[in-house]
Amino acid sequence: MKIVITEFVTLDGVSQGPGSPEEDTSDGFTRGGWLVPHIDEVFVKRTSEWLDQADGLLFGRRTYEAFARDWPEITDPNDPYTGRMNSLPKYVVTNTLTEGAWNPTTVLRGDPLATVAELRARPGRELQIHGSSRLANALLSAGLVDALRLVVAPVVIGSGRRLLDSGAPVGLHLVEHEVTPKGLLLLRYETTGAARTASYDGVTDFV
């Protein structure tokens, strides 16, 4: 399977609490709900199409527990995501939990990188990371991420947990991009190994 990070971020890279002011107040965060004013039909359609490509969902413990609490309580039959979020196989990377309540769930104990690498080697389409920014960063730094889908909101929050803080230089290749009517930037990148560097010497070759 390909491991794909699917995340919502602000223009200054914050991924914490996109859905409501109360979604994630850890570390005193008070600026949640920044994505909601920009949601439109194109956003819903595209993110639903992304979820169609998942054969499993991969979480860190904290995001898993929040999702396991909230998603089973959504009963709206017209919700475009709930049926798949609740029915897809879930994998949670943790040495704290022994079992998961949001079925079907598999708890991945032991070395996180080794257990995820073994899961990635299995046949399938996409293993999607939603939320779980710490796990996403660890896997990105270790070279275990194949692609990133980012929804960039046209807002600067100024504080909060930032998504891309892996500590390792990672090269990316932009393969898809789209702007929604309300200004959300939808981006898909594929990883290309370590980030390349160069100098301005010879820049005139391109002008």
Side-chain angles (χ1 to χ4, degrees):
M1 289 186 283
K2 291 184 177 180
I3 294 182
V4 179
I5 295 173
T6 302
E7 296 280 358
F8 310 145
V9 297
T10 65
L11 194 60
D12 54 337
V14 174
S15 61
Q16 186 171 2
S20 75
E22 298 79 26
E23 179 181 1
D24 182 355
T25 59
S26 59
D27 302 320
F29 183 62
T30 60
R31 301 178 183 180
W34 43 264
L35 178 72
V36 178
H38 309 288
I39 291 177
D40 54 31
E41 290 184 2
V42 173
F43 164 85
V44 173
K45 185 174 188 296
R46 293 292 179 267
T47 50
S48 179
E49 291 169 349
W50 296 348
L51 191 57
D52 278 339
Q53 300 180 49
D55 279 339
L57 305 175
L58 181 63
F59 298 100
R61 179 191 56 81
R62 185 170 64 177
T63 300
Y64 173 82
E65 290 182 328
F67 278 36
R69 177 194 65 217
D70 297 338
W71 279 103
E73 299 302 315
I74 300 175
T75 58
D76 181 0
N78 296 316
D79 183 272
Y81 313 107
T82 302
R84 286 165 294 169
M85 291 294 291
N86 286 328
S87 63
L88 278 167
K90 270 77 71 173
Y91 302 90
V92 54
V93 179
T94 178
N95 284 313
T96 303
L97 302 178
T98 57
E99 60 182 12
W102 187 25
N103 291 317
T105 290
T106 299
V107 175
L108 303 178
R109 298 176 63 84
D111 181 348
L113 300 183
T115 57
V116 171
E118 189 277 331
L119 185 61
R120 181 178 180 235
R122 298 179 187 177
R125 297 178 300 166
E126 292 185 359
L127 184 60
Q128 295 182 359
I129 301 174
H130 294 258
S132 305
S133 60
R134 291 185 178 92
L135 174 63
N137 274 304
L139 299 181
L140 185 65
S141 183
L144 293 174
V145 171
D146 297 284
L148 296 86
R149 287 196 187 94
L150 304 180
V151 176
V152 183
V155 61
V156 173
I157 292 299
S159 67
R161 191 178 311 110
R162 283 168 168 77
L163 174 62
L164 299 178
D165 189 21
S166 69
V170 178
L172 301 171
H173 173 61
L174 179 65
V175 293
E176 293 177 7
H177 65 281
E178 183 178 6
V179 181
T180 74
K182 287 194 175 182
L184 292 170
L185 186 58
L186 313 182
L187 304 171
R188 177 183 168 91
Y189 291 95
E190 293 180 353
T191 56
T192 59
R196 297 182 299 168
T197 60
S199 70
Y200 280 119
D201 296 342
V203 70
T204 54
D205 294 342
F206 305 100
V207 297

